[in-house]
């Protein structure tokens, strides 16, 4: 009897075939990675942002939309015949110390990263309720640790995780809501945050998995949360950060003495 694995002759199943997904800010960086992953998973993907992608994204439809305009957001979702997945990805912030700007400027960062996802989710609510769909919030590790230089952003992402958890309870069982807690990602703008190749290499050394995430890594995680494989997952925060950060005290505790790069187990005797 041959117990070997049979050769697969049929194509890999596309987990989001026949579903429609909206990805906010889905034209570059992490958003583009998510949009591509959803298209590859078989979904009809609508990416909305203020500016079109610099390079066309295969299988992704673009709609110009200012997500800070609630009336425009409601009008956009009202035109859709249906919707299965909303990915609230639009967001970001420049590096800005708190005392270097007034409260109004920081408030705009909070608006983009917290109020905008709420606006889009409310506008999509009826579609998602009818489809028994899901929402994926794109959060950040900045929401769970100090974020000097991006304090308003970190506060907004902390609020986003709380909003998603409450939304998951209020809107169950019709709509699942989860958050991707994203770490450092190597996008086309990574050099602005981490410097050139040497800076990026140095930052990679701080990540347990030894590299920054690729946008495709975030896209794959978003596809999972939107798919039937995650049918019993709601109100969760999935950390996609390569293992997090090595505690700073470890470097201080070993300063000036030689230690193995990787701890080794004692010999068995």
């Amino acid at each position: 009897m041959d117990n070997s694995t049979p050769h697969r002759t049929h194509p890999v199943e596309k987990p989001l075939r026949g579903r429609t997904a909206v990805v906010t800010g889905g034209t570059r960086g992490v958003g583009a990675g998510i949009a591509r992953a959803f298209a590859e998973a078989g979904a009809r993907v609508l990416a909305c942002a203020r500016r079109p992608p610099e390079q066309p994204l295969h299988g992704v439809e673009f709609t110009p939309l200012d997500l800070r305009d609630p009336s425009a957001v409601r009008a956009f979702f009202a035109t859709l015949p249906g919707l299965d997945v909303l990915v609230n990805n639009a967001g970001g912030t420049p590096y800005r110390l708190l005392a270097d700007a007034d409260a109004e400027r920081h408030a705009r960062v909070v608006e983009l990263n917290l109020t905008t996802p709420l606006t889009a989710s409310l506008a999509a609510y009826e579609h998602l309720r009818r489809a028994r769909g899901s929402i994926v919030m794109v959060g950040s590790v900045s929401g769970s640790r100090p974020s000097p230089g991006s304090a308003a952003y970190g506060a907004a992402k902390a609020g986003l995780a709380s909003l998603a958890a409450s939304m998951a309870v209020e809107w169950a069982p019709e709509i699942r809501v989860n958050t991707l807690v994203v770490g450092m990602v190597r996008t086309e703008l990574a050099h602005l945050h981490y410097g050139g190749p040497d800076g990026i290499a140095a930052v990679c050394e701080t990540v347990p998995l030894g590299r920054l995430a690729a946008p495709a890594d975030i896209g794959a995680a978003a596809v999972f949360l939107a798919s039937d494989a995650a049918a019993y997952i709601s109100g969760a925060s999935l950390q996609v950060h390569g293992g997090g950060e090595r505690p700073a005290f470890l470097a201080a505790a070993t300063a000036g003495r030689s230690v193995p790069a990787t701890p080794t187990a004692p010999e068995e005797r």
Side-chain angles (χ1 to χ4, degrees):
M1 180 176 179
D2 185 2
N3 292 321
S4 62
T5 302
H7 178 68
R8 178 176 290 173
T9 57
H10 58 279
V12 176
E13 182 180 356
K14 294 183 178 292
L16 299 181
R17 185 186 298 277
R19 301 184 191 181
T20 299
V22 166
V23 181
T24 68
T27 58
R28 65 179 185 177
V30 169
I34 293 172
R36 288 191 192 95
F38 272 69
E40 291 168 1
R44 178 197 177 198
V45 184
L46 308 175
C48 52
R50 287 185 297 172
R51 294 182 293 274
E54 294 182 0
Q55 300 292 333
L57 301 174
H58 180 70
V60 178
E61 304 169 39
F62 169 70
T63 298
L65 179 64
D66 184 351
L67 289 151
R68 299 193 204 199
D69 182 343
S71 297
V73 172
R74 287 190 287 267
F76 166 71
F77 282 99
T79 64
L80 300 181
L83 183 66
D84 300 283
V85 184
L86 169 63
V87 181
N88 281 309
N89 165 78
T93 184
Y95 179 86
R96 181 182 293 133
L97 295 173
L98 281 171
D100 289 347
D102 55 29
E104 290 82 358
R105 184 164 294 185
H106 293 302
R108 288 197 287 272
V109 173
V110 175
E111 177 190 18
L112 176 62
N113 291 280
L114 178 57
T115 307
T116 288
L118 175 59
T119 300
S121 298
L122 288 169
Y125 172 77
E126 287 298 335
H127 285 310
L128 295 172
R129 183 184 63 80
R130 287 192 294 269
R132 298 185 73 88
S134 72
I135 296 172
V136 178
M137 302 289 197
V138 179
S140 170
V141 294
S142 294
S144 58
R145 59 161 171 74
S147 298
S150 57
Y153 173 79
K157 291 300 188 180
L160 185 66
S162 177
L163 173 66
S166 296
M167 196 178 287
V169 175
E170 285 197 24
W171 292 359
E174 291 85 6
I175 303 172
R176 295 186 301 107
V177 187
N178 293 291
T179 302
L180 287 177
V181 182
V182 178
M184 296 179 288
V185 185
R186 188 164 191 166
T187 68
E188 59 268 33
L189 300 178
H191 64 283
L192 298 179
H193 298 278
Y194 312 122
D198 290 343
I200 292 175
V203 171
C204 288
E205 291 180 0
T206 70
V207 181
L209 288 188
R211 66 175 178 88
L212 304 185
D217 294 317
I218 313 305
V223 167
F224 164 69
L225 287 179
S227 74
D228 291 342
Y232 199 64
I233 299 176
S234 192
S237 292
L238 176 60
Q239 295 181 328
V240 189
H241 56 20
E245 298 176 351
R246 183 177 173 83
F249 79 87
L250 291 177
T254 59
R257 61 190 177 91
S258 177
V259 295
T262 303
T264 57
E267 293 181 358
E268 294 185 359
R269 297 189 183 274

